[in-house]
Every structure is written in C-alpha cells, then in structure tokens.
C-alpha cells in the first residue's frame, strides 16, 4: 500500500504536523524578534537610568547656537507663528524670507528688539563689552531693513499679522518661538551673559508638550518682555 504522506528521513509527516510545525516556527521567530526588541528597550532604559539616578550632564540640557539649525531653516518649521525677541533682531533678518512667506500664508510674526534710542542701550552694551554707538547703529539698521521689507513686500492684510516693536529695557534673554501656542510649541531661549559672545551663550530648547512648567515660565517671561513696547 502506497502512502501519500511526505516522508522526511523515512518518517511520514502528516499535513497537520506540517501546519503545527509551521505555526511553532512562527512562534519561535516572533519570540526571537520580541527578545531582540526587549533587549533594545532594556539597553535604552539602562542608558537613561544613569541620568535618573544621578545628575544630568549639562551638555544634554544647555547647548550653543552652533548646535541648532540656521535661523532661516528653523523659521521654516513654523505652521502658525514665529516669535523672535533679541537685542538687534539679527536672527529675524536672517530668516526674513521665511517670515514673509509665513505671514503671506496667514501666519503671525511678533518681533521685539531693544530700543536703539532708549536709556537701557548703554548699560546693555557695557555688559556685553560692545561700543554703544555700534550697537545702536546695528539695531537701527536691522529695524529699518525689516520694516522696509514688510511695507514693500507684503499686502496690507499680511502686514496686520506682523508686528515690529522695540522696548527700552535690558533683555535678559533672546528667544525664538515656533508655534508657541500649539500643543507642540517650541521656545529656544538664549541667556545673555556678561562679556560672552552670543555664539558661546547657553541655550535651552523647550517644548510645551515635554517641558510643561518650564515652557510656561519662559513663555510668561516672553510676554513680560513686551511690557512698554512700542511699534517701530
């Protein structure tokens, strides 16, 4: 009598045995895959545990300007709004095209610089080790360039969505905000240090959905910086 069951090394293997064997093979394969995934998770948790149990390395929190994208590329990420607070708004000048595109598409832009004609400019320049006249000229130059671009390259409706203001106070920080009001809003905060070049001053990269309390604290500081501000 001839059997139709396949033979492996002389042993008959039924269809049911083949199916069960295949299922078992899939189970082993899935187990291997999950074991590898668990190993990767365990390794990641092990790396993080060093910082949970001990102090966080400062370079994982504070960064320098060179660690970020160029301002024009950074502003391109904005879907709704851009906020820039800075002594001379050099970053806004660098990102001018992106700011124009955003406002033309319905977004909003808020810019705040130090008042070049204010009483706070001289002590601010002294703190940074900069000639007050040079600082005044640079601020004025950038403000005039920005205002001219807004007036000549934007429609009346778009100009209503952009503000260019100055304030007579020493700004403790410079800020770039991307979609600040959104759930995933971002604030890049640069602290100004005495006689420290902007390229070397420490920055914090904060996100609303991750850094909650600290994001809100710096957001409040941004709004406080506009106290007493006036249009340029």
């Amino acid at each position: 009598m001839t059997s139709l069951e396949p033979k492996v090394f002389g042993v008959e293997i039924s269809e049911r045995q083949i199916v069960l064997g295949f299922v078992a093979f899939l189970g082993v394969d899935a187990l291997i895959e999950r074991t590898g995934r668990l190993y990767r998770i365990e390794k990641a948790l092990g790396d993080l545990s060093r910082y949970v149990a001990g102090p966080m390395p400062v370079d994982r929190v504070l960064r320098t300007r060179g660690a970020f994208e160029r301002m024009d590329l950074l502003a391109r990420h904005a879907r709704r709004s851009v906020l820039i607070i800075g002594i001379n708004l050099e970053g806004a000048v660098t990102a001018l095209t992106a700011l124009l595109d955003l406002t033309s598409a319905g977004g909003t832009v808020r810019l705040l610089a130090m008042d070049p004609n204010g009483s706070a400019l001289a002590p601010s320049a002294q703190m940074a080790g900069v000639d007050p006249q040079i600082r005044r000229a640079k601020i004025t130059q950038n403000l005039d360039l920005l205002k001219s671009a807004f007036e000549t390259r934007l429609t009346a409706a778009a100009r209503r969505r952009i503000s260019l203001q100055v304030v007579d106070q020493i700004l403790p920080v410079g800020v770039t905000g991307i979609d600040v009001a959104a759930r995933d809003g971002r604030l890049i905060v640069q602290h100004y240090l005495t006689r420290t070049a902007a390229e070397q001053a420490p920055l914090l990269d904060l996100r609303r959905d991750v850094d909650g309390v600290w994001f809100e604290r710096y957001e409040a500081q941004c709004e406080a910086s506009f106290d007493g501000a006036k249009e340029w």
Side-chain angles (χ1 to χ4, degrees):
M1 187 173 183
T2 302
S3 172
L4 297 179
E5 297 290 351
K7 290 186 178 182
V8 179
F9 298 113
V11 179
E12 291 187 354
I13 306 294
S14 68
E15 181 179 337
R16 181 172 180 272
Q17 288 173 313
I18 292 173
V19 171
L20 290 175
F22 181 66
V23 171
F25 173 77
L26 292 178
V28 171
D29 185 62
L31 178 61
I32 292 173
E33 180 185 355
R34 292 185 181 182
T35 300
R37 189 177 305 167
L38 288 172
Y39 172 77
R40 291 193 298 272
I41 293 173
E42 182 181 8
K43 185 176 184 303
L45 289 174
D47 292 339
L48 289 173
S49 67
R50 291 180 298 164
Y51 307 124
V52 174
M56 179 74 76
V58 69
D59 59 0
R60 292 179 66 91
V61 179
L62 300 179
R63 299 158 69 186
T64 58
R65 183 175 292 182
F68 289 89
E69 294 176 284
R70 297 197 317 267
M71 181 63 78
D72 57 330
L73 298 178
L74 195 61
R76 288 284 177 195
H77 294 313
R79 304 182 306 275
R80 306 175 188 176
S81 68
V82 168
L83 164 70
I84 301 178
I85 299 174
I87 292 173
N88 59 27
L89 291 181
E90 188 69 24
V93 172
T94 302
L96 179 56
T97 300
L99 300 181
L100 293 171
D101 290 345
L102 179 63
T103 50
S104 296
T108 60
V109 173
R110 299 172 69 196
L111 305 175
L112 181 68
M114 283 193 66
D115 187 345
N117 303 314
S119 60
L121 183 135
S124 168
Q126 183 180 13
M127 184 182 82
V130 177
D131 185 315
Q133 295 302 322
I134 294 177
R135 171 158 287 186
R136 178 176 293 107
K138 185 61 176 177
I139 296 173
T140 302
Q141 175 186 326
N142 286 348
L143 289 170
D144 287 344
L145 187 155
L146 291 167
K147 183 176 181 180
S148 176
F150 299 154
E151 290 178 346
T152 59
R153 297 171 62 181
L154 292 176
T155 64
R159 287 199 298 272
R160 288 194 289 271
R161 292 190 291 272
I162 194 164
S163 67
L164 178 62
Q165 297 181 292
V166 296
V167 66
D168 186 16
Q169 61 172 296
I170 296 177
L171 298 174
V173 295
V175 179
T176 300
I178 306 297
D179 296 331
V180 175
R183 184 185 62 82
D184 58 348
R186 186 180 181 189
L187 287 174
I188 298 171
V189 182
Q190 181 173 41
H191 287 265
Y192 296 134
L193 303 180
T194 301
R195 298 186 183 277
T196 300
E199 292 74 16
Q200 300 301 319
L203 288 93
L204 293 171
D205 190 358
L206 303 172
R207 298 175 187 268
R208 182 182 294 279
D209 55 357
V210 175
D211 302 301
V213 173
W214 285 107
F215 184 98
E216 293 171 3
R217 187 163 300 173
Y218 277 99
E219 183 182 20
Q221 289 297 304
C222 289
E223 294 306 316
S225 296
F226 281 88
D227 290 347
K230 60 184 180 181
E231 293 292 328
W232 178 256

